[in-house]
Amino acid sequence: MGITDPITKPLGLLSTMVRAGIIAPMRPDKYLRIGAAMQRENMAITSGFAAAAQRCGDRAGLVDELGILTWRQIDRRADAFAAALQALPGGQPEVIGLMARNHRGFVDALIAANRIGAEVLLLNTSFAGPALAEVLEREGAGKSVAVVYDEEFTETVDRALAERPDTTRIVAWTDTPAASLTVEQMITEHEGQEPRRAAAKSRVILLTSGTTGTPKGATHSGGDPSVLKAILDRTPWRAEQPVVIVAPMFHAWGFSQLAFAASMACTVITRRKFDPEATLDLVDRHRATGLCVVPVMFDRIMDLPEAVLDKYSGRSLRFASASGSRMRPDVVIAFMDRFGDVIYNNYNATEAGMIATATPRDLRAAPDTAGRPAEGTEIRILDSDMTEVPTGGVGSIYVRNSTQFDGYTSGHSKDFHEGFMSSGDVGYVDEAGRLFVVGRDDEMIVSGGENVYPIEVENTLAAHPEVAEASVIGVDDEQYGQRLAAFVVLKAGAAVTPETLKQHVRENLANYKVPREITILDELPRSITGKISRKELQDRSGKA
C-alpha cells in the first residue's frame, strides 16, 4: 500500500459517487437520516432499501406485475412483515428459506429477514422436492425455519417438508384466494408496526450454481465500498434511474443487481417470468437506462422475429449487464449492432463476487472475453505446480479481492494459494490484459492422453453457418479414457449432418478434438440461470 492510499482511495470513491449521482445536492439533515437508516440495518446487503426510503421515499422503488411501490412503501412493508415474523406462534424463525420469483414478495421477505437478524436462504425455483429437502436439512439443522414460497411451488415444498411438518409456511405470491398464510395477509395485519431490530448482522446464503450434485451454500454478510467504486467505474449506473432486472433474484447475479440498484435508489422494474418481447417492452415503456439479464436471455431476445425486434428501440439503455454463464459471441455482436454498444459481460463467482468486466469496447475487439480485472482484484493463471503461466498460456484462474465470501455453510472453503482463491475455472490472459475463460477445471476432457477444453470445440462448431449453439462433454471410453460427445442445435431451416460437422471440426482443429459422436437437439438443457446442464447431457449420452 502506498503512503497516499489512505487519502487517494476515499477521494477516488467520493469522486465516483458524485459522478454517478449517489452524492447529490441534498439538505444535510437528509444525509443524516440516510446514514442513520443504514446504521439501523447494520450496514448489511439490504441497507440500500432503507437509505432509498430516506433519500427519495415518494419515488417509485419497485414495479412488478401488481403495480408500483414507492421506496417508503417498501420500507414500511418490510417493517410490517418483520413484525409479523416475530409474532409467529413459534417465535421468529432463525432461517428463512425463500423460494420465489422476481416480485415484491421476494423483496419483502429479504429485507424483513435482515431486520430481525434471520439468515436468508435463497432457493432455486427449479429445485425438485428431494433437492430442496436436502438443502433445508443442511442449512436449517438445529434451527427454526420458515419457508416463504410462491404458490406454484406448493407441491415441491410439500414434498420437501414431509419430514418437517411443523415448519412455518408462508405464500409469497398467489393467483388464487389463499387458504394458507400469505405475505400480504401478514403485512396487512401488522401494518404500521415496527420489529425489534437485531443487534447482529443478518447473513444471506447464496447457493452455488454448479450443474452437478446439490449446490453448496455460500454466506455473505455485507459488501465493501471498493466494490461500489469498481462497478461504477466500469458500468454506467446512475442514481435514481430505472433499471429492468429480469435475471433471477435468487441467484447471486440477480440478487447482487437488486441490492446494487437499491443502493443507487434506482427504480427496479421486474416481472415474475422472463419473456423476451415483454422485456424489450419494459425497457422502452419505462425508458430504462439499465437491463440486467443472464446470457441466455440475450439469445432469446435475438431469436425474436425481425418484425418483433423492429417494434422496440432500446434507445434509453446505457448498459445491458449479464453474468452467470458464457455469452455467445455472435449474439453479443448482433445485440449491439441493433441496440447499441451497451453490453457489459461480468465474470463473477458466488464465492468471489465481481472478478472482471468486459466493456462494449472489449467485446467489440473480442466478443468471447470475460474482460479485465475489476479495480482491487488481482488475477493469476497458475499451472498444476502453482507456477504462473506466461501470457496466453492456459491454467487455473486464481483471484484475490475484498469481496470473497465468508465461507461455505459446511465450514469448508475454496482452495487458496498465497492469498489467491481458486475460481474453479480455467482460462488465460491475452497480451491486451483481457481474461478468457475456457471452462471449468473439472470440465477438461482427457482423450487418448490429450487435454481438450470443451469451449474450443464448441466455438468451432458454433462457427459453422448452420449451427446455432453447441455443447461438448467427455464420455467414458475404454480405449481412449474419454471421448468427445457434442450436442448441437441447428439454425432454422438448416439440414447439416453430423458427419459434415465432424469434417468442419477436423478442418479447423487437431484430429483428437473431433467429437466421436454429434447429436442434434431442438434445444440444449439449461438451468433457470441459463447454464447448460452437463449432467442431463451425460444422461442423454448414456442412453444414446
Side-chain angles (χ1 to χ4, degrees), residues 151-229:
E151 183 183 41
E152 65 180 291
F153 306 125
T154 299
E155 185 178 337
T156 300
V157 173
D158 286 347
R159 187 177 179 189
L161 297 181
E163 303 298 321
R164 303 179 64 143
D166 296 330
T167 300
T168 300
R169 306 181 193 200
I170 305 168
V171 175
W173 181 284
T174 176
D175 293 313
T176 61
S180 54
L181 193 62
T182 70
V183 170
E184 286 297 332
Q185 290 170 359
M186 294 171 72
I187 288 174
T188 300
E189 291 170 4
H190 292 79
E191 187 176 357
Q193 297 182 26
E194 293 190 13
R196 300 181 302 277
R197 295 275 179 162
K201 184 182 292 189
S202 173
R203 298 191 309 165
V204 175
I205 302 172
L206 298 164
L207 298 176
T208 60
S209 56
T211 54
T212 58
T214 304
K216 298 185 286 292
T219 60
H220 290 259
S221 55
D224 183 303
S226 64
V227 180
L228 177 67
K229 185 177 188 307

Side-chain angles (χ1 to χ4, degrees), residues 457 460-467 486 488 496-518:
V457 186
T460 300
L461 284 166
H464 190 282
E466 295 188 70
V467 173
V488 171
V496 67
T497 66
E499 288 307 315
T500 300
L501 291 176
K502 288 180 184 179
Q503 183 59 31
H504 170 72
V505 177
R506 193 173 291 113
E507 291 171 357
N508 289 277
L509 298 176
N511 195 55
Y512 65 84
K513 296 180 181 180
V514 178
R516 296 274 298 282
E517 57 194 64
I518 295 180

Side-chain angles (χ1 to χ4, degrees), residues 319-330:
F319 66 90
S321 293
S323 183
S325 58
R326 298 170 192 154
M327 293 205 298
R328 285 172 49 189
D330 59 321

Side-chain angles (χ1 to χ4, degrees), residues 79-342:
D79 268 349
F81 189 49
L85 290 170
Q86 290 181 327
L88 288 170
Q92 76 172 52
E94 297 169 275
V95 177
I96 294 177
L98 181 53
M99 190 174 187
R101 298 191 187 272
N102 294 9
H103 56 76
R104 61 187 61 192
F106 182 101
V107 175
D108 294 329
L110 180 68
I111 307 171
N114 176 73
R115 292 186 178 177
I116 64 175
E119 293 182 350
V120 184
L121 174 60
L122 299 182
L123 298 165
N124 193 316
T125 56
S126 64
F127 270 164
L132 177 58
E134 184 178 341
V135 169
L136 289 174
E137 183 62 33
R138 184 185 71 209
E139 306 299 343
K143 301 174 182 177
S144 58
V145 177
V147 179
V148 178
Y149 61 99
D150 291 350
E151 183 183 41
E152 65 180 291
F153 306 125
T154 299
E155 185 178 337
T156 300
V157 173
D158 286 347
R159 187 177 179 189
L161 297 181
E163 303 298 321
R164 303 179 64 143
D166 296 330
T167 300
T168 300
R169 306 181 193 200
I170 305 168
V171 175
W173 181 284
T174 176
D175 293 313
T176 61
S180 54
L181 193 62
T182 70
V183 170
E184 286 297 332
Q185 290 170 359
M186 294 171 72
I187 288 174
T188 300
E189 291 170 4
H190 292 79
E191 187 176 357
Q193 297 182 26
E194 293 190 13
R196 300 181 302 277
R197 295 275 179 162
K201 184 182 292 189
S202 173
R203 298 191 309 165
V204 175
I205 302 172
L206 298 164
L207 298 176
T208 60
S209 56
T211 54
T212 58
T214 304
K216 298 185 286 292
T219 60
H220 290 259
S221 55
D224 183 303
S226 64
V227 180
L228 177 67
K229 185 177 188 307
I231 295 173
L232 294 177
D233 283 348
R234 198 67 63 88
T235 309
W237 284 80
R238 293 296 180 268
E240 299 185 31
Q241 296 294 306
V243 176
V244 173
I245 301 178
V246 286
M249 291 176 182
F250 71 77
H251 184 256
W253 170 244
F255 173 74
S256 71
Q257 299 307 281
L258 171 66
F260 196 77
S263 72
M264 299 284 292
C266 289
T267 302
V268 173
I269 301 150
T270 193
R271 67 192 318 271
R272 293 177 59 243
K273 296 182 180 180
F274 172 72
D275 177 272
E277 183 176 0
T279 298
L280 294 177
D281 178 63
L282 287 177
V283 169
D284 278 3
R285 183 150 42 95
H286 295 278
R287 294 186 176 88
T289 58
L291 172 63
C292 304
V293 300
V294 292
V296 71
M297 293 176 177
F298 282 136
D299 300 0
R300 300 296 174 258
I301 288 171
M302 296 314 296
D303 282 342
L304 290 170
E306 286 287 320
V308 175
L309 288 170
D310 287 343
K311 292 162 56 179
Y312 306 97
S313 71
R315 66 168 58 96
S316 61
L317 283 177
R318 295 171 59 90
F319 66 90
S321 293
S323 183
S325 58
R326 298 170 192 154
M327 293 205 298
R328 285 172 49 189
D330 59 321
V331 171
V332 169
I333 298 302
F335 187 96
M336 292 201 298
D337 284 348
R338 176 172 283 274
F339 297 108
D341 284 7
V342 294

Side-chain angles (χ1 to χ4, degrees), residues 52-61 68-73 76:
Q54 296 299 323
R55 174 182 175 128
C56 47
D58 294 326
R59 288 179 60 92
I68 298 172
L69 291 175
T70 67
W71 289 111
R72 186 172 289 111
Q73 287 173 320
R76 290 173 177 171

Side-chain angles (χ1 to χ4, degrees), residues 408-423:
Y408 291 123
T409 52
S410 63
H412 296 100
S413 190
K414 296 281 284 185
D415 292 334
F416 280 81
H417 178 71
E418 296 181 350
F420 284 73
M421 185 179 74
S422 168
S423 69

